[in-house]
Structure formats: C-alpha cells, structure tokens
C-alpha cells in the first residue's frame, strides 16, 4: 500500500512573510506550509501516518482518539483513499456522541468503524478482540515510525532556517523534527496541553525511535492558554489579526498557540538579529 499513491506535495513550501513585529527585531519569519502537503491528510498527520500505512501492508488500521481528533480524521481519510479498513476507538459513551459531531461524522462518512469505549477502557488502550488482527497506531499517531517520518521535516529545512518551531500535542512531530535538523539548527516546541509532562514524552519517543536523545530542542510551556482546545481573548485576537495580515488560515488548537509563542519570544529578544525562524504550519482549520 505505497503512500505515494496519495500524491503528497513534498517538500512542503517554505514561505517568507513580511511581518513588522518580527522584522523590528531583525527576525526573518518563514512559514513551513505542511498544511499544504495533502488536501485531506494535512500536515504532520501525513508525515506520521505515511510510514504506518506502508507498514500496515493492507491490514485494517486501528487507532484511538477523542471526539475531535485530527488524527482520527486523517486516518479515516487515508482509509478511504487507499481502500483500507479503519477502526477508530473513541473515548466516551456512544449515546452521548449521537448525533455525531462534524469531525466524527466525517470519519464515519469515510468508512471508519467507530467503536466507543468508556474512559477506563480508553485509558488502557485495549484493542477490542474483534479487531485483534489490526495494525495498531497509538493515540495521536505518534510511534517510532511516525517520529522517523517527521525527521524528513527537519531535513527539508537544512540550510534554510536557524530555528524551527512546532506546536506539541503528543510530541512525535517535535521528536522527529529536532532529530532531522542539521548541527547548528535547533527546534522549539510549544505544548498545547497543560501539565508539563511532554518533555519526558518527547525524550521517550526519541529513545524509542533513535535509541537516545537526538538534535537540539526545548519546550516553552507558557502558551497552552489553559489546556487542550482552550483559548483566551488574547489568543483569538492574535489569530484573527495574523490571518488578516498574511492571508493564511490559522488553526486554533495548535498553530495559533505556536505563532503567539514565537511572537512573544521575539519581543522578549530571544532570537539574535538575523535569525531565520521557520514556523511549521502543522495543519489548517
Ligand atoms: C496533531 C497536530 C499537532 C501535534 O502533533 P504531535 O506530533 O502530536 O505533537 C500539531 N498541529 C496540528 C495542526 C495537529 O493536527
């Protein structure tokens, strides 16, 4: 099941943007448009899923997600496009999810078999016995193959940026991005969840994928805006303003938080004049 069949647009475009708030500090802002890789499997979801689709070798693909998971949506779309059976194990009571929200309705329309489990079964990530032969991709899509897939994102930035930034959900994208950068480049991750556990999670993913730490990376934990899918008036205002200035749709759960983090760090003087800052646009609304 070669994922090339899906015709990704790779390497993704790297676009300079003219933004006085960065230019004032001598910082060159570049948008790494991973949101343009594929019309349906956008951004880092493409990079993480593609090696897993190849490894599944046509077996049913089973994965886990919340009711609004971009990862579930991408998996369902890949299933339809490649003719693979997909199973989504969803947290929560089935009745509480009917009628399906637009995200789950999209998954169902793409042929994904939705399997609802209660919180404790979800936490245990047990594979329902009926699907014991399935190829299992973890919640959020981050496993060793996914991390390897994201190293390509780092490779695409060689010689083109000094610092690369990404939002962090499970940490797989940052783990691969940092590993794929060249010496002298570094990555910054902006967690969108609160709790401070993601540093250990990125380390764990790198150990699993590469046998140890790889590349230079740090996390800045100040921009989650209260937690997953939470927002603040300031964040919303910033995202709307950014869209107006640059004509790029800003995804709110992840991308907006990363961009606001980068602006704040720039205003704090965190980047020396001349820094080329690549902001990875990991998805779109
Ligand atoms: C899933 C997702 C992320 C998070 O990627 P991780 O590898 O889980 O850290 C970031 N941005 C967007 C738009 C996403 O959909």
């Amino acid at each position: 099941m070669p994922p090339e069949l899906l015709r990704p647009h790779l390497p993704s475009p790297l676009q300079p943007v003219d933004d006085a708030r960065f230019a004032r500090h001598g910082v060159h802002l570049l948008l790494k448009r991973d949101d343009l890789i594929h019309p349906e499997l956008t951004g880092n979801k493409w990079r993480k899923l593609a090696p897993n689709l190849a490894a599944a070798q046509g077996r049913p693909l089973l994965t886990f997600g919340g009711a609004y998971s971009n990862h579930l949506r991408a998996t369902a779309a890949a299933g339809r496009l490649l003719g693979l059976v997909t199973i989504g194990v969803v947290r929560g009571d089935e009745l509480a999810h009917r009628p399906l929200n637009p995200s789950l309705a999209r998954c169902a329309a793409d042929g994904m078999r939705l399997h609802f489990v209660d919180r404790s079964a979800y936490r245990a990530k047990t594979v329902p016995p009926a699907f014991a032969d399935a190829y299992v991709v973890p919640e959020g899509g981050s496993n060793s193959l996914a991390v390897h897939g994201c190293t390509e994102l780092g490779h695409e930035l060689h010689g083109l940026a000094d610092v690369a930034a990404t939002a962090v959900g499970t940490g797989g994208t940052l783990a691969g991005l940092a590993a794929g950068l060249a010496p002298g480049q570094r990555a910054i991750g902006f967690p969108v969840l609160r709790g401070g556990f993601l540093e250990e999670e990125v380390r764990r993913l790198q150990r699993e994928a590469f046998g140890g730490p790889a590349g230079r990376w740090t996390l800045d934990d100040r921009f989650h805006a209260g937690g997953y899918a939470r927002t603040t008036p300031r964040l919303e205002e910033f995202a709307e303003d950014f869209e107006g200035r640059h004509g790029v749709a800003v995804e709110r759960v992840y991308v907006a938080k990363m961009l606001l983090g980068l602006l704040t760090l720039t205003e704090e003087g965190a980047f020396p004049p001349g820094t080329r800052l690549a902001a990875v646009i990991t998805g779109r609304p």
Side-chain angles (χ1 to χ4, degrees):
M1 199 57 62
E4 299 78 50
L5 282 179
L6 296 172
R7 300 172 155 274
H9 178 23
L10 289 172
S12 65
L14 184 65
Q15 302 171 338
V17 291
D18 197 357
D19 193 313
R21 300 168 299 178
F22 291 84
R24 189 179 301 141
H25 297 270
V27 172
H28 306 285
L29 179 65
L30 305 156
L31 303 184
K32 178 66 171 157
R33 298 294 303 274
D34 267 18
D35 57 317
L36 302 178
I37 291 177
H38 191 277
E40 295 185 75
L41 283 78
T42 61
N44 62 351
K45 299 300 180 286
W46 159 268
R47 296 191 190 270
K48 289 161 57 162
L49 263 177
N52 281 293
L53 293 168
Q57 298 193 306
R59 275 189 290 161
L61 214 73
L62 180 144
T63 192
F64 302 85
Y68 292 92
S69 164
N70 287 340
H71 164 66
L72 275 191
R73 279 252 296 282
T75 304
R80 171 172 49 80
L81 294 167
L82 294 173
L84 286 173
V85 173
T86 60
I87 302 118
V89 179
V90 183
R91 175 181 46 219
D93 182 39
E94 171 147 20
L95 287 175
H97 283 303
R98 301 276 175 192
L100 296 177
N101 72 41
S103 185
L104 290 177
R106 187 70 247 157
C107 292
D110 280 341
M112 177 173 261
R113 295 165 65 175
L114 297 174
H115 189 84
F116 295 89
V117 298
D118 65 30
R119 280 176 177 278
S120 64
Y122 187 84
R123 210 173 303 122
K125 300 290 181 298
T126 35
V127 175
F131 308 115
D133 63 333
Y135 180 89
V136 178
V137 176
E139 180 180 33
S142 287
N143 57 11
S144 188
L145 286 175
V147 170
H148 276 280
C150 291
T151 60
E152 196 56 32
L153 170 57
H155 297 158
E156 290 176 17
L157 291 169
H158 282 194
L160 301 174
D162 303 297
V163 178
T166 181
V168 177
T170 62
T173 303
L174 177 65
L177 165 64
L181 292 173
Q185 296 181 301
R186 68 185 176 96
I188 306 177
F190 294 96
V192 304
L193 295 95
R194 47 187 278 172
F197 59 93
L198 280 163
E199 184 154 331
E200 180 46 35
E201 196 47 27
V202 175
R203 276 205 219 98
R204 186 189 67 76
L205 285 165
Q206 288 201 330
R207 270 198 306 277
E208 194 180 287
F210 312 114
R216 288 170 61 204
W217 58 272
T218 52
L219 292 183
D220 192 323
D221 228 343
R222 294 177 292 164
F223 301 98
H224 55 65
Y228 186 76
R230 299 289 179 88
T231 188
T232 62
R234 162 95 179 103
L235 181 65
E236 187 51 37
E237 187 192 340
F238 165 80
E240 274 179 32
D241 174 73
F242 195 94
E243 292 180 326
R245 281 172 194 256
H246 302 305
V248 174
V250 175
E251 190 270 350
R252 298 298 203 266
V253 177
Y254 294 94
V255 176
K257 294 178 181 182
M258 179 271 301
L259 289 170
L260 180 56
L262 283 182
L263 177 60
T264 307
L265 283 173
T266 299
E267 289 173 342
E268 291 172 351
F271 307 115
T275 300
R276 294 165 303 168
L277 197 55
V280 183
I281 308 301
T282 39
R284 60 166 176 269

